[in-house]
């Protein structure tokens, strides 16, 4: 661990020396896949910044962690399993191809019962479903009625999810960077610096990570340095395009196309 701390300190030298932007760039960090492990989830909740906690509803510790996150002042999202291109098995409470809007609504009813603290939703996997117009339209209509925002995890370059959310008039956005599709410190640092470069260039950027020990160790070290680096860490809802601005807006340049969780 001591070696890891020294490596992060060395890698961050350039980051902290960067000239601050006139207005502080803002970043949001969503930590996905919460609910399987209570210790990992609680470690995320304890991170020293307002990270957003994306909880899979039908997991052993999902309900408890959603409540704990909200009590700690962290923003909570429903991390909803969706159908994949490789047809892998999904957690209970997933969205599958061919579901009617009523069936999608029943899934969301259950998810909100388990996670009443959730203010929004992003997709868990979903490389198949997010590329299909009809189910995305049905989902976004349901989210609009429930006053939930949407963040596209972008597990498929052909995703229609963010565009569908905009058309439905939702506050919506998309993932720009995956922090930990490779679980080593140097790669996570490289991805985090990419996040900061994007934020400094355009004012804001959104990252997704996972409750891996490597990711949490890195974030525990780097998040307290953000004020010194002139960067503000905010809940993801603060970076989403509002409905009036998003409807009909041109899409932003895509981030990385795929993740290890399609």
């Amino acid at each position: 661990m001591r070696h890891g701390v020294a490596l992060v300190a060395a890698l961050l030298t350039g980051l902290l020396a960067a000239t601050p932007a006139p207005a502080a760039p803002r970043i949001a960090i969503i930590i996905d896949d919460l609910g399987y492990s209570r210790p990992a989830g609680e470690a995320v909740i304890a991170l020293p910044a307002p990270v957003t906690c994306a909880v899979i509803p039908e997991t052993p510790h999902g309900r408890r962690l959603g409540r704990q996150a909200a009590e700690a002042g962290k923003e909570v999202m429903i991390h909803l399993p969706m159908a994949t291109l490789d047809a892998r098995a999904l957690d209970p409470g997933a969205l599958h191809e061919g579901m009617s809007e009523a069936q999608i609504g029943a899934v969301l009813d259950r998810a909100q019962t388990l996670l009443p603290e959730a203010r929004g939703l992003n997709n868990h996997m979903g490389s198949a479903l997010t590329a299909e117009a009809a189910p995305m339209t049905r989902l976004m209509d349901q989210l609009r009625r429930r006053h939930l925002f949407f963040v596209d995890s972008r597990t498929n370059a052909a995703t229609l999810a963010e565009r569908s959310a905009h058309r439905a008039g939702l506050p919506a956005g998309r993932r720009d960077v995956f922090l930990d599709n490779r679980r080593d410190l140097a790669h996570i640092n490289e991805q985090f610096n990419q996040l900061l470069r994007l934020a400094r260039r355009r004012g804001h950027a959104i990252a997704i990570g996972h409750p891996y020990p490597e990711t949490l160790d890195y974030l525990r070290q780097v998040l307290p340095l953000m004020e010194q680096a002139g960067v503000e860490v905010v809940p993801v809802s603060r970076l989403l395009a509002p409905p009036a601005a998003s409807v009909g807006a041109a899409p932003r340049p895509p981030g990385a196309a795929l993740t290890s969780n399609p």
Side-chain angles (χ1 to χ4, degrees):
M1 180 61 66
R2 188 173 299 172
H3 173 73
V5 172
L7 177 59
V8 169
L11 290 169
L12 283 173
T13 302
L15 179 159
L16 294 174
T19 303
R26 297 183 298 167
I27 60 171
I29 301 171
I30 301 169
I31 303 296
D32 278 354
D33 294 0
L34 300 186
Y36 296 116
S37 165
R38 183 176 172 186
E42 289 177 342
V44 171
I45 293 167
L47 285 171
V51 300
T52 297
C53 298
V55 183
I56 300 175
E58 300 275 1
T59 47
H61 306 286
R63 179 181 287 199
R64 177 191 293 269
L65 289 170
R67 183 173 63 251
Q68 288 180 243
E71 289 171 352
K74 298 291 199 287
E75 187 166 73
V76 178
M77 297 176 63
I78 297 166
H79 190 42
L80 196 65
M82 300 186 194
T84 67
L85 288 169
D86 60 4
R88 71 177 64 183
L90 300 175
D91 291 275
L95 296 185
H96 299 275
E97 293 171 292
M99 279 185 162
S100 67
E101 187 167 338
Q103 289 172 315
I104 291 173
V107 168
L108 293 176
D109 285 343
R110 172 66 175 165
Q112 287 190 286
T113 297
L114 293 169
L115 295 171
E117 306 85 3
R119 297 185 57 207
L121 181 146
N122 72 330
N123 53 294
H124 174 51
M125 303 191 287
S127 54
L129 203 71
T130 59
E132 297 291 333
M136 287 300 98
T137 297
R138 296 176 192 131
L139 172 63
M140 301 312 164
D141 286 346
Q142 284 288 326
L143 295 182
R144 184 185 65 244
R145 295 172 193 175
R146 297 160 193 270
H147 305 289
L148 297 175
F149 63 75
F150 179 78
V151 177
D152 191 347
S153 301
R154 290 196 59 81
T155 56
N156 184 342
T159 177
L160 301 174
E162 183 191 19
R163 183 174 298 179
S164 298
H166 287 171
R167 288 177 176 168
L170 298 183
R174 71 202 299 182
R175 180 272 309 167
D176 296 300
V177 172
F178 275 120
L179 294 177
D180 50 14
N181 45 359
R182 281 181 20 217
R183 291 174 57 176
D184 68 80
L185 190 63
H187 177 75
I188 293 168
N189 184 77
E190 179 182 326
Q191 294 299 99
F192 194 87
N193 278 276
Q194 180 184 350
L195 175 73
L196 296 182
R197 286 191 294 271
L198 281 171
R200 286 191 167 114
R201 186 168 71 241
R202 70 175 190 222
H204 58 85
I206 297 171
I208 287 179
H210 299 84
Y212 303 143
E214 300 88 345
T215 306
L216 298 182
D217 286 344
Y218 180 83
L219 291 176
R220 275 191 288 266
Q221 295 172 54
V222 76
L223 289 175
L225 303 175
M226 289 299 95
E227 184 177 359
Q228 182 183 349
V231 175
E232 184 181 6
V233 184
V234 299
V236 73
S237 61
R238 289 182 54 188
L239 299 188
L240 304 183
S246 63
V247 175
R252 289 191 287 160
L258 297 174
T259 176
S260 56
N261 292 322

